[in-house]
Amino acid sequence: MTTETHSKAASAFLQDEERSKWHDDTLWFVRAKRDKAANKLPGWEALRDAAAAIKEHTLSRLDEYLEEFEANAIANGVKVHWANDAAEHNSIIYSILQENNAKRVVKSKSMLTEECALNPYLQSKGVEVVDTDLGEFIVQLRDEHPSHIVLPAIHLKKQDVSDTFHQHLHTEKNNKDEVYLTRAARSFLREKYLTADAAITGVNFAIAETGGIVVCTNEGNADFGANANKVHIACMGFEKLIPKLDHLSVFLRLLARSATGQPITTYSSHFRKPKQGQQMHLVIVNNGRANQLSKPAFRNSLKCIRCAACFNTCPVYRRSGGHSYHTSIAGPIGSILAPNMDMRKNADLPFASTLCGSCTNVCPVKINIHEQLYAWRQVLMKEGYGGAAKTAAMKSMSVVLSNPKLYRVSGSVGRSVMRLAPWSVNNKLNPWYKQRDLPEPPKQSFRDWYLKNKTNE
């Protein structure tokens, strides 16, 4: 994962103009599918209201629902573990694998395990981990991180996948046929499923009333892994809870439509208890979520159901690519969650937004994403994480904007400089000049124009 700031990594991504435009167009295509799917469903806004209310209620009584969920899961025969941070999460999973002498693991898509860096941890212990979601499998072969939480390989074209499979799976060189490539992956992964010692899955929803979990996939890989192996380990952040089974239909109708424009994911798999002869473990993770819950301005970001609708609509994400965000969860929602984990390391991310509000408009659980991004900016600048240049610029702007006379003089000087010495702003030192032409400066300010025309009436 890159250690560069978002702006530097985005600049590198934008060097390939053709690919960045293709990335932008592809994500917008997915966003348009979301709109069509939402418009076809009567009562869409009522569903969003219901989902938001259920999540807010759950967060307000999270301690009670977690205890209820744990008690019901244990009654079902599930072994429940609690992890306060990523290190504890990884250690618990490794201890389960050790107890079962498990050396080979198949894993379905789980952004929590990405957040906790589980793969490199297990590999350092000699455990083979194979991601079985096709997109995750592709990026794993390339030793990359997912660039999108729903579409992990959305940054890659068919030729990239063909080259990757030719290198690692020895497929025919330059064969870009989707069916051919998918069958090659399927053949490789099938052997991994059948010879693995354990399966790890994520959790989309955990139901307090039943102690069961629901995993949503389009490939059935979570089902195959969990049912073909004697040990099933499911990992969840504690915000995945919903109180009752009746609530599930609200979220299932919103999730896939918001994510990809599908009516529903191909598989909505319910796991409630281990089958005969199998162990089922559930690792419930905090890893900074309690801290987020304690902050009134940011707590409702924990309502997120990881649909990535905010990714697909965000003009910054679409144009800068997911790897520019240097966190496991990119995009607008990731830019809210990441500073909570490490404010200094992720101080750049809340600024990777135009604050246009499109993310808030499409969020199925009505998280006020752009307002929280703005709130994080206030916190970061107050805490001194904005950088000396930005701090000085903001203080200067504050002086100018709070003094009408100074503002008018500054505007007049700025227009004169742009008119008489355009080279002073049209150069590479000015970030706004990159990839765009500055407009001609107006001859007068709007205020001057208004006063002049008002006088002439």
Side-chain angles (χ1 to χ4, degrees), residues 346-360:
N346 300 307
D348 57 318
L349 295 182
F351 295 92
S353 168
T354 63
L355 300 183
C356 64
S358 185
C359 47
T360 300

Side-chain angles (χ1 to χ4, degrees), residues 107-133:
K107 184 164 76 68
S108 67
K109 187 153 65 65
S110 160
M111 293 314 299
L112 177 63
T113 60
E114 292 287 339
E115 174 186 319
C116 297
L118 178 65
N119 281 16
Y121 172 81
L122 291 181
Q123 287 161 355
S124 72
K125 301 291 186 183
V127 178
E128 179 192 70
V129 186
V130 177
D131 281 303
T132 57
D133 172 271

